[in-house]
């Protein structure tokens, strides 16, 4: 039986040898990819420009795995916006400086009459100044977000700049509410006088009298003022709506919506600031007799005749303005 | 010098959330803050894929670029950290981040959302290494002790790798060669501007 | 002048009032992102301060 034992050993050895060969065969056989049908990163990015899935966290925003749109937003916010803002604001300041140095203050040609007419009521002035002061603070705090880091941070250091930015940010959020109230009131108060008409076309054709000694007629608000009105109402409306979208993040939209809101908010805001700088110029340094309209509410009769002749006629017809000529001498009192 | 990176092998991730649990435990992350999360694409359908995602510590980090108060900094290891003392909680970093890493303790109300928090690669923050203040503000600092992030250490399938970018890229390449397939290093093109050829 | 001062005062009052209102209705993320199946007592204060 010994030969049978040897046969058995031989057979088992051969089987074991074959087993080893067979077991190593799959390594050289065709490899299987179990995730072949699954999604790939670049494919998803190309199709949807974002990758999103399911998460077990209640905050569903965490389901967005990748949103490369953030890259484009960063480019806009750091580069494009700073160019637009810089050119708009520095540009308008340059234009005003040149204008003042060449044209100078628009003077009252017939001099003061000493008699006044009410131009803006106390309520109108209240609304204007509330909106205006809020605007100044909002503009400065807003510009700090965009330009503070490159311009102010190097001057005052990290801690001071962060502290200042914190307060500026709170001021920006909370003063936006009285600002919005003001814009709405301005819209309602003055809509009647700010509908464009033919007189405005003529006023614009004559350049508003900004060059030379022309005095094109105008009603209570001339075309330039109507432009400012609509800039305030539409621009103010736009920054308010986008501002509240930014203030309550993700209440109204996903991340692309937030980025869009910031883009619109910032572009409208810097253009708004440029327009308001021009408005402030013409209402203070740019024109003699203009500031009192919002300061005391009463303007000199001659000023009104020179710049808003049709308004004066309306007021005189209503019996709310003193009629008569253009006395140069001051009445003795 | 090592350049620290994360790599999640999306072919191995089984959505067990061990990485999430490890992170939450190590740094005592409060409820509502999600430093690391697992996202499942096509859940329940053929071709389902899970990826673990936290801050990728990008090259040329977009969060750092858009921060209005410049509160971010990149360490010599390439880890992107920030200072909660300087942070004003405005949320811009979240809009710029391709991966949704920044987290805020409160919702709504721009700027009053509290200080931004995010994955620190277990490298703490500007406070002294291993100090109590650092732990209370930024969590554990494992890197200062010579350890790697806990999420990758605890990954049950070793799909999440963390450490020197070259080493983990090499590990991933070897894996892909050995098994014959790989969906790529998710997020690497966006974060580090490079891919791993396999 | 009166109109101007009144304007500043009104703006300040509205701003303060709004700040009180907004901070009252603002939710911490632990509350905002909770589901019915969870009872969150103390959500933890590490990383976010006592807030």
């Amino acid at each position: 039986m010994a030969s049978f034992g040897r046969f058995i050993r031989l057979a088992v050895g051969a089987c074991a040898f074959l087993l080893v060969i067979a077991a190593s065969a799959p390594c050289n056989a065709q490899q299987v990819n179990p995730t072949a049908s699954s999604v790939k990163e670049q494919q998803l990015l190309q199709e949807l420009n974002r990758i999103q899935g399911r998460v077990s966290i209640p905050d569903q925003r965490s389901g967005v795995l990748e949103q490369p749109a953030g890259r484009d937003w960063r480019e806009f916010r750091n580069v494009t916006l700073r160019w637009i803002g810089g050119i708009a604001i520095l540009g308008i300041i340059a234009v005003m400086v040149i204008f003042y140095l060449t044209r100078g203050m628009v003077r009252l040609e017939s001099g003061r009459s000493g008699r006044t007419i009410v131009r803006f009521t106390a309520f109108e002035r209240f609304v204007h100044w509330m909106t205006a002061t809020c605007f100044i603070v909002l503009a400065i705090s807003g510009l700090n977000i965009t330009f503070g880091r490159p311009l102010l941070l190097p001057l005052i250091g990290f801690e001071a700049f962060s502290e200042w930015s914190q307060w500026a940010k709170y001021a920006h959020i909370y003063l936006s509410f009285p600002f919005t109230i003001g814009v709405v009131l301005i819209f309602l108060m003055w809509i009647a006088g700010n509908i464009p008409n033919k007189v405005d076309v003529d006023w614009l054709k004559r350049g508003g009298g900004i060059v030379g000694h022309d005095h094109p007629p105008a009603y209570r608000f001339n075309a330039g003022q109507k432009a400012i009105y609509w800039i305030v109402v539409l621009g103010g409306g736009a920054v308010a709506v986008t501002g509240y979208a930014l203030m309550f993040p993700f209440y109204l939209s996903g991340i692309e919506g937030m980025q869009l809101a910031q883009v619109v908010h910032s572009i409208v805001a810097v253009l708004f600031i440029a327009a308001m700088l021009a408005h402030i110029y013409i209402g203070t340094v740019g024109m003699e007799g203009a500031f009192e309209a919002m300061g005391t509410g009463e303007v000199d009769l001659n000023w009104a005749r020179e710049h808003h002749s049709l308004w004066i006629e309306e007021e005189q017809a209503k019996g709310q303005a003193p009629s008569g000529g253009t006395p140069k001498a001051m009445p003795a009192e | 010098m090592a350049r620290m990176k994360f790599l999640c092998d999306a072919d191995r991730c089984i959505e067990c959330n061990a990485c999430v649990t490890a992170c939450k435990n190590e740094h005592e992350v409060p409820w509502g803050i999600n430093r690391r999360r697992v996202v499942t694409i096509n859940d329940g359908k053929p071709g389902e894929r899970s990826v673990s995602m936290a801050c990728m510590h990008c090259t040329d980090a977009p969060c750092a670029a858009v921060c209005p108060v410049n509160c971010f900094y990149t360490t010599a290891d390439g880890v992107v950290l920030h200072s909660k003392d300087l942070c004003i909680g405005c949320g811009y970093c979240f809009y710029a981040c391709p991966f949704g890493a920044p987290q805020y303790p409160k919702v709504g109300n721009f700027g009053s959302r509290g200080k931004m928090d995010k994955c620190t690669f277990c490298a703490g923050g500007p406070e002294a290494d291993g100090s109590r203040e650092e732990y209370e503000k930024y969590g554990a600092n494992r890197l200062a002790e010579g350890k790697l992030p806990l999420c990758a250490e605890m990954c049950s399938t070793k799909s999440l790798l963390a450490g020197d970018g070259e080493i983990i890229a090499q590990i991933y390449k070897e894996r892909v060669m050995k098994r014959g397939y790989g969906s790529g290093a998710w997020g690497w093109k966006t974060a580090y501007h490079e891919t791993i050829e396999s | 002048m009166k109109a101007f001062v009144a304007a500043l005062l009104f703006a300040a009052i509205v701003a303060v009032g709004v700040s009180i209102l907004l901070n009252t209705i603002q939710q911490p993320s632990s509350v905002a992102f909770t589901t019915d199946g969870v009872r969150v007592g103390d959500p933890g204060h590490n990383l976010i301060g006592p807030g």
Side-chain angles (χ1 to χ4, degrees):
Chain A
M1 281 306 180
S3 61
F4 185 68
R6 279 181 65 196
F7 173 71
I8 294 292
R9 265 204 299 279
L10 197 62
V12 169
C15 285
F17 183 65
L18 283 170
L19 206 62
V20 169
I21 298 289
S24 65
C27 294
N28 306 323
Q30 179 189 355
Q31 282 166 325
V32 177
N33 180 355
T35 60
S37 61
S38 187
V39 290
K40 302 242 184 317
E41 184 188 7
Q42 293 310 314
Q43 160 209 359
L44 284 173
L45 285 176
Q46 264 155 27
E47 284 172 15
L48 306 164
N49 205 31
R50 60 147 49 185
I51 302 180
Q52 192 167 353
R54 192 207 118 253
V55 279
S56 53
I57 304 170
D59 181 2
Q60 288 303 302
R61 287 175 296 151
S62 50
V64 178
L65 184 66
E66 260 184 78
Q67 58 100 15
R71 226 174 0 214
D72 304 318
W73 180 76
R74 168 222 179 135
E75 174 74 15
F76 161 79
R77 191 244 173 229
N78 275 7
V79 180
T80 314
L81 175 61
R82 287 187 176 141
W83 274 108
I84 295 178
I87 290 175
I89 294 172
L90 295 178
I92 202 84
I93 292 175
V95 165
M96 292 188 317
V97 166
I98 293 171
F99 185 78
Y100 183 74
L101 293 174
T102 52
R103 172 70 163 90
M105 185 193 250
V106 175
R107 294 258 165 222
L108 207 46
E109 282 175 18
S110 37
R112 292 193 175 258
S113 67
R115 288 152 80 202
T116 60
I117 171 179
V118 172
R119 183 147 164 82
F120 291 118
T121 65
F123 182 70
E124 287 173 320
R125 284 178 282 128
F126 162 80
V127 172
H128 172 267
W129 286 120
M130 179 179 73
T131 315
T133 46
C134 288
F135 179 83
I136 301 287
V137 178
L138 289 166
I140 294 174
S141 50
L143 288 174
N144 184 57
I145 299 278
T146 303
F147 293 102
R149 175 173 163 180
L151 299 179
L152 186 57
L153 173 56
L155 298 177
I156 63 176
F158 282 99
E159 283 80 16
F161 180 71
S162 267
E163 190 69 25
W164 144 253
S165 295
Q166 279 274 19
W167 285 108
K169 183 203 60 184
Y170 285 130
H172 196 90
I173 303 173
Y174 300 133
L175 286 175
S176 70
F177 288 89
F179 174 77
T180 307
I181 294 174
V183 169
V184 170
L185 289 175
I186 283 175
F187 170 68
L188 295 170
M189 261 179 357
W190 289 333
I191 178 77
N194 278 289
I195 311 289
N197 54 39
K198 281 207 302 282
V199 174
D200 299 312
V201 178
D202 189 55
W203 190 93
L204 284 169
K205 278 210 199 114
R206 289 159 71 171
I210 203 86
V211 191
H213 298 280
D214 193 8
H215 291 292
Y219 285 104
R220 190 183 188 205
F221 298 112
N222 59 42
Q225 290 171 308
K226 292 187 185 181
I228 291 292
Y229 171 87
W230 287 109
I231 287 174
V232 168
V233 167
L234 296 175
V239 294
V241 167
T242 52
Y244 291 122
L246 288 167
M247 199 188 293
F248 301 102
F250 307 104
Y251 275 47
L252 298 174
S253 73
I255 193 156
E256 286 89 359
M258 295 305 298
Q259 291 160 347
L260 182 65
Q262 195 272 348
V263 170
V264 173
H265 188 85
S266 54
I267 292 185
V268 173
V270 292
L271 297 176
F272 201 171
I273 291 172
M276 289 305 110
L277 286 172
H279 169 74
I280 293 170
Y281 166 80
I282 201 75
T284 54
V285 172
M287 184 190 265
E288 184 185 7
F291 183 80
E292 357 196 298
M294 269 303 163
T296 60
E298 296 183 11
V299 291
D300 192 275
L301 218 50
N302 281 351
W303 182 91
R305 279 206 194 93
E306 279 182 26
H307 300 292
H308 298 276
S309 49
L310 298 170
W311 172 61
I312 270 290
E313 282 169 23
E314 281 182 334
E315 295 293 294
Q316 281 167 348
K318 276 191 270 180
Q320 280 172 345
S323 50
T326 320
K328 281 217 168 68
M330 298 297 225
E333 290 196 274
Chain B
M1 187 93 209
R3 197 277 190 237
M4 295 299 178
K5 292 180 186 165
F6 279 118
L7 199 165
C8 181
D9 186 350
D11 297 285
R12 275 205 191 183
C13 180
I14 56 171
E15 202 192 338
C16 73
N17 277 22
C19 50
V20 174
T21 312
C23 172
K24 288 226 142 194
N25 186 264
E26 177 75 356
H27 306 289
E28 288 181 33
V29 183
W31 188 275
I33 306 280
N34 309 294
R35 284 191 170 188
R36 182 167 280 282
R37 67 205 192 269
V38 178
V39 180
T40 305
I41 305 167
N42 284 342
D43 190 30
K45 302 183 200 140
E48 170 182 324
R49 211 189 263 300
S50 297
V51 182
S52 169
M53 179 57 71
C55 170
M56 289 292 276
H57 301 276
C58 303
T59 311
D60 185 25
C63 55
V66 300
C67 176
V69 291
N70 199 9
C71 76
F72 289 86
Y73 61 101
T74 310
T75 68
D77 297 324
V79 177
V80 177
L81 301 173
H82 75 292
S83 164
K84 291 192 182 186
D85 296 321
L86 297 177
C87 172
I88 60 172
C90 73
Y92 271 24
C93 47
F94 188 85
Y95 302 148
C97 176
F99 307 107
Q103 303 287 307
Y104 303 93
K106 293 188 223 172
V107 293
N109 206 344
F110 171 96
S112 309
R113 284 189 277 172
K115 308 289 181 178
M116 185 277 278
D117 183 71
K118 73 169 185 71
C119 156
T120 57
F121 207 82
C122 290
E127 315 280 347
D129 285 346
S131 65
R132 183 171 175 72
E133 296 78 34
E134 190 194 39
Y135 188 78
E136 283 174 358
K137 277 192 188 158
Y138 306 99
N141 189 341
R142 290 172 57 86
L143 236 60
E145 297 168 26
K147 304 175 189 165
L148 287 173
L150 198 61
C151 49
E153 307 282 75
M154 299 284 245
C155 175
S156 48
T157 55
K158 274 284 161 279
S159 80
L160 183 60
L161 303 168
D164 181 13
E166 283 177 14
I167 296 180
I168 61 177
Q170 186 59 33
I171 294 174
Y172 183 69
K173 258 190 272 206
E174 284 170 11
R175 264 191 209 173
V176 170
M177 216 159 30
K178 185 92 201 268
R179 68 191 181 202
Y181 59 87
S183 61
W186 285 62
W188 271 50
K189 192 130 188 285
T190 309
Y192 314 121
H193 309 302
E194 59 182 80
T195 51
I196 299 184
E197 300 308 320
S198 44
Chain C
M1 192 58 185
K2 275 204 295 257
F4 181 72
V5 173
L8 289 184
L9 215 59
F10 184 74
I13 292 173
V14 171
V16 169
V18 162
S19 78
I20 294 173
L21 177 70
L22 284 182
N23 285 327
T24 311
I25 64 175
Q26 185 178 35
Q27 288 175 316
S29 358
S30 56
V31 171
F33 299 122
T34 307
T35 55
D36 294 335
V38 167
R39 283 167 292 183
V40 181
D42 180 8
H45 296 292
N46 204 39
L47 308 182
I48 62 175

